[in-house]
Amino acid sequence: MNVGLKTQIIPAGKAAVAAAARALAEGGLVAFPTETVYGLGADATNAAAIARLYQAKGRPAFNPLIAHIGDRAAARRIARFDAQATALAEAFWPGPLTLVLPKTQNCPVADLATAGLDTVAIRIPAHPLAREILRAFGGAVVAPSANLSGHVSPTTAAHVQGDLSGRIDLIVDGGAVAVGVESTIVGCFDEPMLLRPGGLPRAEIERVLGRALKQPPSDAESDNGRPLAPGMLASHYAPRAKVRLQASSIAPGEALLAFGLGAISGIDGASMVMNLSERGDLDEAAANLFGHLRALDSKGAHTIAVMPIPDEGLGEAINDRLRRAAVGRE
Ligand code: TXA
Ligand code: MG
């Protein structure tokens, strides 16, 4: 177990980029900000580094990783693009979209990172610091969210530190991220499929494709029994507290996670109140979601009652993460 490492924290800047690139080249584990959430990076070609990454997160190795690359030429060395995948990459990269594509014959990404699948998940992140690190390192970097497996994803360097200090080599602190929920994942199969709602709204993708995205089967298994989205375990984004959804009133002592300024009965008896977005803005709510869940949790909330959130735009990703947070705890 790689507990007991001395985890360095370096603020964004030239020195941080150089240290990150060096650590990745040496097989180290480096947390860095992307526009969606903080990622925990390792050299995508280095199986030993990837094994340490799974261990540091406590993540089951059957759950494959996203390869982050700097440009589309690098993407084409890793995966095969059909016309639809090309259209999506051109429209949305760099940005919060991950494409699941067939691997190339000489795909450099280690088999351990793709969990033995013949597909690979890739994206070009938009965060300037992530892009500089990828450029300085010069290769693909696999990066899951930089949290312990099962926890909510980190949106600040302090969240990463709370989960992974002593288990990884370096944290590059680039401040709070902009989007706040993970990338949208589209499986580029015969019919493109929404494997995970995320930071890029479904409607924008469907506009470019000129068709609706397919929904994965509810058991998330394809006909040959292979998982389509292996990481979409029901209970995944789990705070310690119980999470109660679609709350229309607050029971005494419950914590309230509010959205907008609508009235809700029982609010005077709430143990604490945090608002995802007072002005009812779904982008702002996404940026606040994981930070607010962590804050309510660390202040000892036993139940978090969540007001209804519209299922449009980033609301689809917010509601997906909240449903997972609530599983087994209602
Ligand atoms: O925004 C994000 O996507 C962040 C930042 C760091 O880029 N990363 C992230 O990674 O959320 P992670 O590991 O927490 O989630 C990746 C998801 C998992 O659900 C995994 O099962 C799925 O992508 N995935 C990876 N490769 C896949 C593949 N070949 N087929 C289907 N799903 C795949
Ligand atoms: Mg994750």
Side-chain angles (χ1 to χ4, degrees):
M1 207 48 223
N2 41 335
V3 178
L5 283 179
K6 186 163 168 2
T7 303
Q8 252 196 305
I9 303 175
I10 311 185
K14 280 208 177 74
V17 171
R22 197 179 328 116
L24 288 168
E26 289 167 357
L29 303 180
V30 178
F32 60 90
T34 79
E35 73 278 26
T36 56
V37 299
Y38 273 72
L40 178 60
D43 176 352
T45 66
N46 183 334
I50 296 163
R52 290 178 63 224
L53 190 159
Y54 279 109
Q55 209 174 50
K57 270 188 65 100
R59 176 175 175 123
F62 59 75
N63 188 3
L65 306 171
I66 299 171
H68 296 65
I69 61 256
D71 56 57
R72 279 187 243 151
R76 258 179 241 105
R77 283 193 287 278
I78 291 175
R80 296 204 309 270
F81 285 71
D82 63 10
Q84 286 183 327
T86 304
L88 292 178
E90 271 169 15
F92 299 117
W93 280 353
L97 172 68
T98 294
L99 299 176
V100 171
L101 300 164
K103 283 177 175 174
T104 55
Q105 196 126 48
N106 300 314
C107 178
V109 176
D111 283 338
L112 185 55
T114 55
L117 299 171
D118 46 21
T119 56
V120 59
I122 56 180
R123 84 178 186 101
I124 303 181
H127 195 293
L129 205 49
R131 308 204 69 198
E132 282 174 46
I133 291 170
L134 287 168
R135 200 175 311 125
F137 173 62
V141 171
V142 284
S145 49
N147 52 279
L148 287 173
S149 187
H151 282 194
V152 298
S153 292
T155 55
T156 67
H159 295 162
V160 179
Q161 204 182 355
D163 268 21
L164 296 177
S165 193
R167 307 170 80 94
I168 64 176
D169 299 287
L170 174 63
I171 301 171
V172 177
D173 186 352
V177 301
V179 178
V181 289
E182 303 84 347
S183 60
T184 302
I185 305 182
V186 171
C188 296
F189 313 131
D190 292 339
E191 295 178 279
M193 188 181 279
L194 184 66
L195 295 177
R196 176 175 77 181
L200 181 65
R202 167 206 289 274
E204 292 192 34
I205 299 168
E206 294 182 336
R207 200 175 311 126
V208 167
L209 290 174
R211 66 197 286 187
L213 285 164
K214 260 187 86 177
Q215 282 299 112
S218 57
D219 59 358
E221 299 239 329
S222 64
D223 3 284
N224 62 7
R226 283 274 183 91
L228 286 171
M232 301 308 282
L233 308 174
S235 171
H236 194 70
Y237 296 82
R240 255 194 314 273
K242 262 174 68 171
V243 174
R244 187 167 72 79
L245 302 179
Q246 307 291 346
S248 53
S249 64
I250 303 303
E254 283 186 325
L256 170 62
L257 187 59
F259 176 78
L261 287 173
I264 182 159
S265 71
I267 190 168
D268 291 340
S271 60
M272 37 196 150
V273 180
M274 292 189 87
N275 202 316
L276 290 171
S277 170
E278 291 192 349
R279 54 196 164 88
D281 179 300
L282 289 165
D283 294 357
E284 181 180 37
N288 284 330
L289 177 66
F290 292 144
H292 283 13
L293 284 175
R294 279 182 187 257
L296 292 172
D297 222 17
S298 68
K299 288 180 196 148
H302 64 80
T303 303
I304 301 172
V306 188
M307 277 166 75
I309 294 172
D311 211 36
E312 66 216 34
L314 289 200
E316 188 177 5
I318 295 171
N319 284 321
D320 171 81
R321 305 309 186 267
L322 285 170
R323 273 194 300 276
R324 288 172 206 287
V327 165
R329 292 173 183 74
E330 276 182 305

